[in-house]
Amino acid sequence: MSDEKVPAAPAPAAMPAIGGGQNALLEFSDDEKTALEGMSGMDKAVLLMLSLSEEDAAQIFKNLEPKQVQKLGIRMSEMATFSQDQVNAVHKAFLKEVTKHSNLGLGNSDFVRHALVSALGSEKANNLIEQISLGTGSRGLDSLKWMDARQVATIIQNEHPQIQTIVLSYLEPEQSAEILSQFNETVRLDLIMRIATLEEVQPAALQELNEIMEKQFAGAAGSQTAKIGGLKSAADIMNYLDSSTETQLMNAIQSQDKEIGGQIQDLMFVFENLSGVDDRSIQTLLRDVPSDVLQKALKGADDSLKEKFFKNMSSRAAASMKEDLASMGPTKLSDVEAAQKEILTIARKLNDSGAIMLNRGGGGGDFV
């Protein structure tokens, strides 16, 4: 099985019940036993640390000796990928070890569920819990969520475009955008147009695709069905493309089908749309945006959007930003667009976590 990156932890959400009790949940498969035997104690520690959020990892570092921090930090920077069997095995081994040395109510499935959510985030923990409960590895399309963009692109590059379309529609927009970027311009255009016009995939077809994906790596065929694809899916993927790729692809879409291009653009959230976001959300966003990035982004913004940001800063910060903008020399359009994209990425993450609310839709102009 291909190596896969340990994912960052998204915001927790509701989780399904785990059947079979803790003992069944933490039993190792043969592949997991083999994977665990081939790992050193340092490798296991690295995997666990990379599974945590930055905040939780930082709390652990605070309780280590300086030499331990140095050794672990170096190893983390050198070894950033693990197989799914290694991920499953180390998490199970850790939870088993914890239960031996604690009486904090760890003998039930709720603890396992909450621990995995804290380590992996709700969606990936949900997938892992289902796999553990059934004694299987990652399944079909769900396995792709654990892989980086290059790996997924390699797996699907020789598949029929319709299969590629379903895969990109099924995965998260940010991951799909990275995968889409691995293909050439002609393929990108074909796939985004297919995604925009895709509406539903029949259960039997999705089951068959799971089986096709399973042949590429490990796991059992799943039966999950979904209403995937469509204009919104295409717009979400477009939102996560880098500026140059997005512009090139949008121009190509408009040339091929102006109506679809307009509908996708209307559903995209572009930098100018921030003018319609409430003041409290803008204030929250500003706390996470570096001042130099904001300065470049505002260089290409119209006066009304600039004022939107200025009024949500302190008077001193706003005055300083205005002075910096006035003294800025000519700035490359690509630098301005990159800064705007960076702010939009931060905004979307805050929106996904519920920290702010973005008003999607309503169109958006070209970058200036």
Side-chain angles (χ1 to χ4, degrees), residues 146-367:
W146 295 86
M147 301 182 185
D148 65 27
R150 292 183 183 275
Q151 288 176 305
V152 178
T154 299
I155 288 172
I156 68 173
Q157 65 182 352
N158 295 320
E159 299 293 345
H160 189 278
Q162 195 64 9
I163 289 179
Q164 297 172 339
T165 300
I166 295 172
V167 169
L168 293 175
S169 298
Y170 184 85
L171 300 176
E172 291 298 314
E174 186 171 7
Q175 184 184 14
S176 294
E178 293 175 4
I179 297 167
L180 196 64
S181 297
Q182 305 301 313
F183 295 103
N184 62 44
E185 294 179 8
T186 302
V187 175
R188 282 201 296 261
L189 174 58
D190 177 56
L191 290 177
I192 202 70
M193 293 298 289
R194 287 174 179 269
I195 291 168
T197 55
L198 180 68
E199 293 184 357
E200 288 187 352
V201 178
Q202 295 299 317
L206 200 59
Q207 172 73 13
E208 183 178 356
L209 181 53
N210 266 306
E211 293 170 357
I212 291 173
M213 292 294 100
E214 179 192 336
K215 292 177 183 177
Q216 300 287 349
F217 32 86
S223 58
Q224 183 176 0
T225 63
K227 179 177 175 63
I228 58 179
L231 292 166
K232 183 63 166 61
S233 180
D236 286 343
I237 293 172
M238 291 281 290
N239 274 327
Y240 282 100
L241 292 172
D242 64 79
S243 297
S244 60
T245 303
E246 177 201 309
T247 301
Q248 180 275 323
L249 187 52
M250 180 55 73
N251 289 338
I253 293 170
Q254 295 277 15
S255 297
Q256 180 167 318
D257 192 314
K258 191 170 183 178
E259 182 178 353
I260 287 181
Q263 290 174 320
I264 290 175
Q265 195 165 42
D266 284 345
L267 290 169
M268 290 177 64
F269 193 96
V270 296
F271 192 69
E272 285 79 1
N273 293 141
L274 288 172
S275 61
V277 174
D278 67 277
D279 290 345
R280 181 171 295 182
S281 292
I282 293 293
Q283 292 163 16
T284 302
L285 174 62
L286 283 170
R287 288 198 288 268
D288 284 10
V289 175
S291 59
D292 59 327
V293 174
L294 179 63
Q295 182 179 330
K296 286 181 182 178
L298 292 181
K299 177 72 173 178
D302 59 33
D303 291 340
S304 62
L305 183 53
K306 288 177 183 176
E307 286 302 320
K308 176 74 172 183
F309 280 94
F310 293 154
K311 78 173 185 176
N312 284 293
M313 301 177 184
S314 67
S315 56
R316 181 176 180 179
S320 176
M321 180 62 69
K322 289 177 182 178
E323 289 179 6
D324 291 340
L325 283 169
S327 62
M328 276 184 76
T331 305
K332 289 182 179 180
L333 178 62
S334 59
D335 291 340
V336 172
E337 291 176 337
Q340 291 177 344
K341 276 287 187 181
E342 184 174 343
I343 292 175
L344 286 175
T345 297
I346 295 171
R348 279 191 288 269
K349 289 180 179 178
L350 290 172
N351 180 75
D352 292 342
S353 70
I356 68 174
M357 182 175 293
L358 298 180
N359 299 322
R360 294 183 178 271
D366 297 329
F367 283 129

Side-chain angles (χ1 to χ4, degrees), residues 41-42 45-46 49 57 59-77:
M42 179 63 74
V46 168
M49 291 292 284
Q59 292 301 316
I60 293 177
F61 273 131
K62 289 179 182 178
N63 291 282
L64 299 178
E65 296 294 329
K67 288 185 178 180
Q68 293 175 319
V69 172
Q70 184 179 22
K71 288 176 63 177
L72 186 56
I74 291 173
R75 189 65 175 140
M76 287 173 70
S77 67

Side-chain angles (χ1 to χ4, degrees), residues 95-131:
L95 293 174
K96 279 188 172 184
E97 190 66 22
V98 168
T99 60
K100 292 179 183 178
H101 303 285
S102 175
N103 59 357
L104 299 177
L106 306 186
N108 59 71
S109 61
D110 284 342
F111 170 78
V112 178
R113 178 172 64 249
H114 294 151
L116 290 177
V117 169
S118 297
L120 303 177
S122 61
E123 184 175 354
K124 291 184 173 67
N126 182 23
N127 291 333
L128 182 56
I129 287 169
E130 290 183 82
Q131 295 153 21

